[in-house]
Amino acid sequence: VPGFMRGRGVGWVTAEYGMLPRATHTRGRREASEGKQSGRTQEIQRLIGRSMRAVVDPAALGERQISIDCDVIQADGGTRTASITGAWVAMSLALNYLRDEGVLKADPIKDPIVDQVAAVSCGVYDNTPVLDLEYEEDSNAEADANFVLTGKGDIVEIQATGEKRGFTQDEFEQLFSLARKGIGELCEAQRAATGK
């Protein structure tokens, strides 16, 4: 675990995020070659880590750290939300492995994961609320939002911005409704991928 967590008997979950050079329409440089991460990358890494920690019991994890790598291979909008949804699957599979190998040894073994977490982007495009914006919609949206919710429907984080105009409470509620529907479908896919 990180130094500030040592001796507490609890664990920590963190994430790294990066776009591969040809993930976007134009080739970008690896941030490692620049010698530092952009503010955007740091913000996304923190968001992924917070999202994972929201559904983990740190005491059941024990004094260990899980580091999740999120590498964007092909970007078409929604990379941070896809990273969160995939990170939960990776974390779940990693903890299954630790349990199978006898590394998690409590009796009975308590699952460190207390709920699922998934995320989806929504936005107002051409005056219409849209779920899971692709790049063209995202870059021309009047409003843009990212929703991070647990499997039970609890809010972990919501990021919402009026891009070309403000948006109404009714539009926000429509976006939230779309997000709940989309995240419900993502949670089903997560369970199928992990056998939970």
Side-chain angles (χ1 to χ4, degrees), residues 25-78:
H25 299 295
T26 57
R27 187 183 193 288
R29 292 181 49 88
R30 292 181 192 273
E31 289 186 347
S33 69
E34 304 282 324
K36 66 177 184 169
Q37 293 176 322
S38 69
R40 175 185 182 273
T41 295
Q42 291 178 37
E43 181 251 328
I44 292 172
Q45 289 179 165
R46 290 184 188 119
L47 172 63
I48 298 165
R50 283 193 308 271
S51 299
M52 295 306 108
R53 290 190 298 273
V55 295
V56 168
D57 176 350
L61 185 57
E63 198 161 309
R64 61 183 51 86
Q65 175 172 288
I66 295 176
S67 297
I68 303 169
D69 293 316
C70 301
D71 293 320
V72 177
I73 298 168
Q74 182 177 359
D76 189 21

Side-chain angles (χ1 to χ4, degrees), residues 23-180:
T24 57
H25 299 295
T26 57
R27 187 183 193 288
R29 292 181 49 88
R30 292 181 192 273
E31 289 186 347
S33 69
E34 304 282 324
K36 66 177 184 169
Q37 293 176 322
S38 69
R40 175 185 182 273
T41 295
Q42 291 178 37
E43 181 251 328
I44 292 172
Q45 289 179 165
R46 290 184 188 119
L47 172 63
I48 298 165
R50 283 193 308 271
S51 299
M52 295 306 108
R53 290 190 298 273
V55 295
V56 168
D57 176 350
L61 185 57
E63 198 161 309
R64 61 183 51 86
Q65 175 172 288
I66 295 176
S67 297
I68 303 169
D69 293 316
C70 301
D71 293 320
V72 177
I73 298 168
Q74 182 177 359
D76 189 21
T79 61
R80 71 187 66 204
T81 57
S83 294
I84 289 166
T85 303
W88 185 89
V89 171
M91 181 175 68
S92 179
L93 294 174
L95 288 169
N96 286 347
Y97 173 79
L98 291 177
R99 205 171 5 269
D100 292 345
E101 293 294 309
V103 175
L104 296 176
K105 297 180 179 179
D107 187 24
I109 296 173
K110 185 176 178 188
D111 191 345
I113 297 178
V114 298
D115 199 353
Q116 289 176 258
V117 67
V120 71
S121 65
C122 296
V124 178
Y125 174 73
D126 198 19
N127 293 314
T128 304
V130 178
L131 175 64
D132 192 22
L133 299 159
E134 62 183 30
Y135 176 77
E136 184 62 32
E137 293 167 331
D138 186 43
S139 59
N140 291 295
E142 289 109 57
D144 183 26
N146 296 306
F147 292 85
V148 184
L149 306 176
T150 68
K152 295 174 189 162
D154 293 339
I155 298 167
V156 174
E157 187 153 340
I158 297 173
Q159 302 171 334
T161 307
E163 298 285 349
K164 296 184 176 175
R165 63 171 174 80
F167 55 98
T168 67
Q169 181 174 342
D170 182 56
E171 286 173 321
F172 175 79
E173 288 170 3
Q174 290 178 59
L175 294 175
F176 200 0
S177 178
L178 284 172
R180 283 191 186 280

